[in-house]
Amino acid sequence: KNEVEQSPQNLTAQEGEFITINCSYSVGISALHWLQQHPGGGIVSLFMLSSGKKKHGRLIATINIQEKHSSLHITASHPRDSAVYICVGAEYGNKLVFGAGTILRVKS
Amino acid sequence: DAGVIQSPRHEVTEMGQEVTLRCKPISGHNSLFWYRQTMMRGLELLIYFNNNVPIDDSGMPEDRFSAKMPNASFSTLKIQPSEPRDSAVYFCASSFPAGDVGEQFFGPGTRLTVL
């Protein structure tokens, strides 16, 4: 069974801190998505990656294929980064396997 | 592009009634996904279509749920008869796969409450 595990489940940080959210996945996952869900409920796809590293503004996502591990980093965190971050493994053929999510709260 | 469009945004209905949720994917995308999100179970994939054809409906909870995609620009998710445990937020997403997997773009969701 393909699985995706995220850590931590909950994370509270002070504004400006560097944040890392981790995701481990099992075999059969061909790519990783990182999703962001704001308190209002909307879901935004942050990254999709199958190798290496991607950067968008203050967000960086990395993936290590050999270790089956991905990380999402937020530099210079801000209260507006407060959201649920979900790691999603994509099996071949587009079927998705969801992590449980990390609830991030950034305090000012 | 307006992004993925879902309607209605909110739906309140009584147990036993039929509910139809609608989704318009992003133009040019050829994959469409229906998800359900609840507090207890998080996000779950219900069904997805490639080129209007249902590929995997193993996430559809039971026969009361059905989904159709009559053309590339429209899909429906129907619940008949609805039950209180169907109360959730239903998301539609679309993608244009590059290789095996494509980045998915989510609609705003439909919040369904079944009384």
Side-chain angles (χ1 to χ4, degrees):
Chain A
K1 180 183 172 185
N2 289 323
E3 292 184 342
V4 171
E5 294 187 1
Q6 273 185 252
S7 62
Q9 286 188 325
N10 290 279
L11 181 57
T12 300
Q14 283 297 131
E15 183 174 358
E17 285 185 357
F18 180 83
I19 290 165
T20 296
I21 300 171
N22 295 299
C23 178
S24 296
Y25 58 93
S26 64
V27 296
I29 303 296
S30 62
L32 254 288
H33 296 260
W34 281 101
L35 307 179
Q36 178 193 55
Q37 186 169 30
H38 278 282
I43 296 176
V44 174
S45 176
L46 298 175
F47 297 103
M48 189 200 73
L49 65 166
S50 54
S51 65
K53 175 171 127 177
K54 288 189 177 180
K55 183 175 189 294
H56 186 259
R58 294 180 294 105
L59 302 177
I60 304 167
T62 63
I63 189 167
N64 184 315
I65 302 296
Q66 286 73 28
E67 295 185 4
K68 298 183 179 57
H69 182 267
S70 176
S71 293
L72 176 68
H73 305 284
I74 305 175
T75 62
S77 59
H78 189 276
R80 64 174 175 264
D81 298 325
S82 299
V84 178
Y85 292 83
I86 305 169
C87 172
V88 189
E91 296 180 353
Y92 291 103
N94 261 328
K95 187 166 185 176
L96 300 189
V97 182
F98 291 90
T102 295
I103 302 172
L104 171 65
R105 182 180 169 216
V106 181
K107 298 194 286 186
S108 56
Chain B
D1 198 313
V4 176
I5 299 172
Q6 288 187 248
S7 65
R9 294 292 306 275
H10 301 273
E11 176 82 22
V12 180
T13 191
E14 291 187 342
M15 185 173 73
Q17 296 298 306
E18 177 180 296
V19 175
T20 299
L21 311 181
R22 297 173 176 79
C23 176
K24 177 177 167 48
I26 291 173
S27 177
H29 284 190
N30 62 351
S31 293
L32 183 140
F33 305 78
W34 281 103
Y35 298 95
R36 177 173 69 176
Q37 185 178 39
T38 61
M39 288 290 291
M40 293 295 292
R41 300 171 69 94
L43 265 171
E44 303 172 277
L45 176 65
L46 299 177
I47 185 171
Y48 76 94
F49 297 83
N50 274 354
N51 297 314
N52 312 338
V53 177
I55 302 301
D56 185 348
D57 65 354
S58 59
M60 296 284 263
E62 45 197 275
D63 291 345
R64 297 182 299 104
F65 285 69
S66 63
K68 293 182 180 179
M69 192 164 186
N71 57 61
S73 59
F74 183 67
S75 176
T76 59
L77 177 67
K78 186 176 293 187
I79 309 172
Q80 167 63 20
S82 58
E83 296 183 3
R85 62 193 166 120
D86 302 330
S87 298
V89 180
Y90 291 82
F91 288 98
C92 175
S94 71
S95 74
F96 183 78
D100 290 317
V101 179
E103 183 174 1
Q104 296 192 15
F105 295 81
F106 285 76
T110 295
R111 183 174 296 276
L112 173 64
T113 303
V114 183
L115 302 174

